[in-house]
Amino acid sequence: MSQHNQDQTADGGPDDADGEIALQPLPLDRWHRDRGGRMVPFAGYEMPVQYEGIMAEHLWTREHAGLFDVSHMGQLLFSGAAFDTGLETLLPGDIVGLGEGRMRYSLLLADNGGIHDDLMITRLPADNAFEIDGGALYMVVNGATKWDDLGVLREGLADEVTINHLEDQALLALQGPEAVTALSRILPGVEKLVFMTAAAFDWNGNPLWVSRSGYTGEDGFEISLPGDVAAEFADALVAQDEVRPIGLGARDSLRLEAGLPLYGHDLDLETTPVAADLGFALSKRRREEGGFPGHERIMIERDQGAILKRVGLVVEGRQPVREGATVVDDEGSEIGKVTSGGFAPTAQKPIAMAYVPAALAAPGTRVTLAQRGKIHHAEVVPMPFVPHRYVRKGA
């Protein structure tokens, strides 16, 4: 566990000798290459985009269990005086009321009500994997924004709040209907977790922090562990018949089918939680009390509606539309924009997310899209495109 390094470039990433942003290797860099992973730049790291092919990896995860390396994500610990009330000045969720071992999706907000990042936050019990007294909070933020997030958090929190950036920790995600079968062989008892809960486990004397969560819409787990044992643990997972390594390409198509937004594409500093259809992240107590950035604007939008809304689209035909395609009116004028899109391997049709005027946001509404001089027709549909299969309490 280490404090965040201060020798960073202005925009937050590690600097090389020529002043360029240097691509960082993941703890599993050699592991990926040895298994045929095709490495590409992503969020300042070299990451595997695919192994055997995006379609095959996508379908394997939906049917069995896929192993994703998400060690580029930022893992942060918060402790010290009034750290949870301090975080409520930046996040719209009920952080103070978060129980031990419980997780919450939340948003790091800007003063205008826009979104710096979306994130997961968990209250640590006394028994945790980070050698820190219970009561601390563990946060996972997006890899592409983690350095900027750290700047916002350090500026917005009191000096008495300690932020530890867990740069030496790896983060793996095991996703799919057979994930629990495979993982419980290695970590007995993990099957007792339910969606959005977490606990500490021991593996060969190494401390692991495991949550039942993920970014695919499937049942699954995220495992935080020391980087120097990540390859050995990944070997133990892929030795299970149910598990194969999966790259970034399938991670993106899986999350799109699940209707989950990607920061920097479907969310940004100009987009509010209401426009993004993330109102569930605004806890009731916090809506009433306020005290988080953009509260007044967000409450007005919640009462009166946002001008634009994030919606799901099913596109006619077989040709997918991509990010950047425009939503146009009858005269061809731009009135909205596609922020994510592709062909859905499970649904077997082109799907997309877009921001459209509120008057066009109801399911069943027909919209027209323009991409590279071609016109496409689409219908607004509820999300997710493929049903979530989370294992909830009492299920």
Side-chain angles (χ1 to χ4, degrees):
M1 181 162 56
S2 62
Q3 290 282 352
H4 165 52
N5 250 330
Q6 295 303 312
D7 54 343
Q8 307 295 327
T9 56
D11 62 355
D15 197 356
D16 71 11
D18 299 321
E20 298 293 329
I21 303 299
L23 289 176
Q24 301 298 299
L26 298 169
L28 288 177
D29 184 81
R30 176 46 54 193
W31 191 92
H32 296 306
R33 295 175 191 275
D34 288 347
R35 281 152 189 80
R38 183 159 71 85
M39 308 300 281
V40 298
F42 182 81
Y45 291 81
E46 291 189 274
M47 298 190 64
V49 66
Q50 65 181 51
Y51 297 86
E52 58 179 311
I54 292 172
M55 176 78 75
E57 293 170 27
H58 178 114
L59 295 175
W60 181 269
T61 304
R62 287 273 184 250
E63 296 167 5
H64 303 288
L67 177 62
F68 303 78
D69 185 357
V70 290
S71 300
H72 65 297
M73 306 285 276
Q75 300 182 67
L76 312 176
L77 287 181
F78 298 84
S79 58
F83 60 91
D84 46 7
T85 55
L87 280 168
E88 286 197 351
T89 66
L90 302 172
L91 313 177
D94 182 359
I95 309 304
V96 172
L98 190 59
E100 290 188 355
R102 301 285 178 173
M103 306 175 64
R104 180 155 289 150
Y105 175 86
S106 197
L107 304 164
L108 183 61
L109 294 177
D111 288 341
N112 68 345
I115 302 170
H116 280 293
D117 199 6
D118 63 338
L119 54 92
M120 300 295 295
I121 190 162
T122 311
R123 174 87 61 184
L124 295 180
D127 178 20
N128 62 75
F130 304 114
E131 299 179 356
I132 192 168
D133 290 338
L137 289 165
Y138 168 72
M139 180 186 291
V140 178
V141 299
N142 279 295
T145 58
K146 64 184 176 183
W147 304 111
D148 289 337
D149 290 355
L150 273 164
V152 172
L153 289 161
R154 290 183 181 281
E155 183 177 352
L157 296 172
D159 292 341
E160 291 77 16
V161 177
T162 299
I163 307 174
N164 285 290
H165 182 195
L166 306 177
E167 296 181 84
D168 298 328
Q169 289 285 111
L171 188 64
L172 305 179
L174 187 67
Q175 300 284 293
E178 295 178 349
V180 64
T181 301
L183 188 58
S184 61
R185 291 194 196 106
I186 300 171
L187 299 178
V190 77
E191 69 279 357
K192 297 176 183 177
L193 293 174
V194 294
F195 184 57
M196 298 294 276
T197 66
F201 291 84
D202 178 272
W203 182 72
N204 294 343
N206 298 292
L208 275 58
W209 181 249
V210 182
S211 66
R212 200 157 191 173
S213 62
Y215 193 48
T216 63
E218 295 292 335
D219 182 28
F221 302 86
E222 293 194 349
I223 304 116
S224 177
L225 71 168
D228 57 5
V229 300
E232 186 181 356
F233 188 75
D235 280 340
L237 285 172
V238 297
Q240 314 296 313
D241 290 340
E242 299 89 351
V243 182
R244 290 182 184 175
I246 309 296
L248 279 173
R251 187 168 185 257
D252 190 54
S253 58
L254 288 158
R255 70 91 191 169
L256 177 57
E257 284 189 340
L260 302 174
L262 175 62
Y263 192 84
H265 301 260
D266 312 296
L267 307 175
D268 57 33
L269 278 169
E270 301 306 316
T271 305
T272 66
V274 177
D277 196 27
L278 298 175
F280 66 89
L282 308 170
S283 297
K284 183 175 185 293
R285 174 178 65 83
R286 305 303 317 287
R287 296 197 307 265
E288 295 171 351
E289 294 179 2
F292 57 83
H295 173 260
E296 183 177 358
R297 177 189 177 187
I298 290 169
M299 289 304 100
I300 291 172
E301 284 193 356
R302 191 171 182 273
D303 291 339
Q304 300 178 7
I307 296 173
L308 297 175
K309 290 284 283 186
R310 180 174 67 96
V311 298
L313 299 176
V314 169
V315 182
E316 289 183 0
R318 303 287 287 180
Q319 179 66 41
V321 296
R322 305 291 182 181
E323 177 183 0
T326 55
V327 183
V328 297
D329 62 17
D330 292 341
E331 283 74 44
S333 299
E334 179 179 336
I335 55 173
K337 185 164 287 187
V338 172
T339 52
S340 290
F343 188 83
T346 309
Q348 281 293 298
K349 53 193 172 187
I351 60 173
M353 292 183 203
Y355 281 84
V356 303
L360 301 179
T365 304
R366 307 271 299 167
V367 297
T368 302
L369 310 174
Q371 176 178 252
R372 297 177 182 173
K374 294 183 179 180
I375 293 297
H376 302 261
H377 299 286
E379 181 178 328
V380 176
V381 298
M383 291 189 285
F385 301 97
V386 173
H388 293 164
R389 296 199 284 185
Y390 306 134
V391 174
R392 300 182 185 274
K393 187 175 181 180

